[in-house]
Amino acid sequence: MKFGICYCYWSKDWEGNDYPKMIERARACGFDALEIFWGRTLTMEQQEVNEILAASKANDVEIYVSGGFGKEEDLSQADETERRAAVEKSKRLIEAIARLGSHNFSGINYGAWCKFDRPIDKEKSFEQSAKSLKEIGRCAADYNVSWNMEVVNRFENYMLNTAAEARKLADMVDHPNINILLDIFHGMIEEDDLAEAIRTAGSKLGHYHMGSNNRRPPRPGFLPWQQVVDALKEIKYDRCISFEPLVRTGGSVALEGGNVWRNMLPADADDTYLDDLIKESLGYIKGMF
């Protein structure tokens, strides 16, 4: 089992220019992976790529890539010309993240994130997305990348709100490199049973996100953490659990999908506080395995 931390825990923005430094910080806090947003991976200069690769090797920390697609990247769109363009961009993205030594891309990568600007026909959207993902799966296999479709709440996407819907789309695609990302925050909103959602995803579960009900780091509370951990053990899940706390206001995380409208940390929280908090959280979850 690997444990990852999302870059945005330490930043108010989804993306940054200090990934080698944050790779070292992730290892110092006990994590095996640093999860970064996908956008800049397409335009990184080779020098930055080399620095990330060197830091990853030196610290034994893997890069995971995640994020949500916009209208241009929407793999479910009905217009064939636009859908084809989205598929080709997805292939370029796979090549870009492979440059970083990454083997995982997770997120709203089957439709569009927070876009509800066209009539909703879920069956048609599923058909178009499956058509796209079959081709993307072949490309992902060439680069040994798991393309993990994130199940999110109804306020962020209309296609995959439950593990059952994600499993349906994964089965339609039927490719070993097209898998599912479950996130306990979204599941808390949409699922009847968080542990059963894990069982539904089963062998197609390629990634798991953890955070508390208000998106602070995992901690004791009313979420059924032990039931979730037991379900992960039951399906013999051995990939990565990433922590995705969204705790900062005033940047792109808050304004572009994260919706953080109040300070989630003490006013005097500094780097030491953040690191101590996430170490404690990691120990809490690891202690259940």
Side-chain angles (χ1 to χ4, degrees):
M1 178 76 72
K2 295 180 180 179
F3 288 88
I5 180 68
C6 291
Y7 171 83
C8 55
Y9 172 64
W10 288 306
S11 173
K12 68 182 188 307
D13 296 310
W14 290 117
E15 300 186 271
N17 296 287
D18 54 352
Y19 295 140
K21 176 183 176 182
M22 291 306 177
I23 287 169
E24 294 179 8
R25 192 170 179 180
R27 172 49 65 201
C29 289
F31 290 94
D32 309 297
L34 177 71
E35 193 167 324
I36 67 174
F37 201 79
W38 68 270
R40 286 189 57 246
T41 64
L42 290 164
T43 58
M44 280 183 181
E45 297 292 340
Q46 189 60 44
Q47 180 178 346
E48 183 178 6
V49 172
N50 292 342
E51 290 170 353
I52 291 171
L53 289 171
S56 294
K57 182 177 181 181
N59 293 279
D60 192 22
V61 168
E62 187 178 352
I63 290 292
Y64 275 55
V65 182
S66 63
F69 279 171
K71 185 176 181 180
E72 179 184 326
E73 297 85 21
D74 184 357
L75 297 174
S76 70
Q77 53 195 311
D79 183 276
E80 280 298 307
T81 300
E82 294 178 352
R83 188 190 67 79
R84 286 293 320 158
V87 169
E88 293 306 312
K89 186 169 183 178
S90 292
K91 291 179 181 179
R92 295 198 301 274
L93 176 58
I94 290 170
E95 295 170 358
I97 69 173
R99 280 202 307 160
L100 297 171
S102 179
H103 299 288
N104 285 271
F105 175 55
S106 302
I108 301 92
N109 53 18
Y110 47 86
W113 188 21
C114 296
K115 298 290 184 183
F116 304 94
D117 57 352
R118 68 174 190 266
I120 296 172
D121 182 347
K122 288 185 73 159
E123 288 304 316
K124 179 65 173 178
S125 294
F126 269 53
E127 291 172 7
Q128 293 295 90
S129 187
K131 188 189 307 182
S132 301
L133 289 166
K134 286 179 180 180
E135 185 170 349
I136 289 167
R138 292 192 290 272
C139 180
D142 291 339
Y143 291 90
N144 191 24
V145 168
S146 180
W147 187 277
N148 307 307
M149 306 179 295
E150 184 172 11
V151 180
V152 295
N153 69 76
R154 69 192 71 186
F155 307 110
E156 297 188 30
N157 185 265
Y158 69 89
M159 286 180 64
L160 304 187
N161 300 140
T162 66
E165 289 179 321
R167 186 65 197 239
K168 173 184 175 181
L169 182 53
D171 288 345
M172 288 172 67
V173 178
D174 191 23
H175 193 286
N177 291 75
I178 304 299
N179 295 299
I180 296 169
L181 163 64
L182 293 182
D183 183 312
I184 197 170
F185 170 77
H186 299 294
M188 177 195 65
I189 297 172
E190 299 291 349
E191 302 284 1
D192 292 323
D193 185 324
L194 290 164
E196 189 60 30
I198 290 169
R199 297 185 190 100
T200 296
S203 62
K204 297 302 292 181
L205 186 61
H207 196 185
Y208 197 86
H209 272 175
M210 282 188 174
S212 291
N213 56 291
N214 58 6
R215 308 208 86 160
R216 294 184 78 243
R219 67 194 192 283
F222 64 81
L223 288 177
W225 292 111
Q226 190 63 63
Q227 292 178 34
V228 165
V229 168
D230 289 346
L232 289 169
K233 291 194 291 186
E234 181 181 329
I235 68 166
K236 296 180 172 55
Y237 182 74
D238 63 353
R239 300 190 188 186
C240 186
I241 294 172
S242 287
F243 289 11
E244 190 188 27
L246 305 183
V247 294
R248 300 294 189 96
T249 62
S252 62
V253 172
L255 299 173
E256 298 173 12
N259 302 331
V260 186
W261 309 128
R262 69 185 190 279
N263 289 325
M264 304 301 295
L265 299 171
D268 60 349
D270 57 12
D271 284 348
T272 299
Y273 177 91
L274 283 168
D275 290 358
D276 287 347
L277 182 65
I278 205 68
K279 289 176 186 176
E280 180 182 349
S281 182
L282 179 59
Y284 172 65
I285 295 298
K286 277 189 170 182
M288 297 183 194
F289 280 92

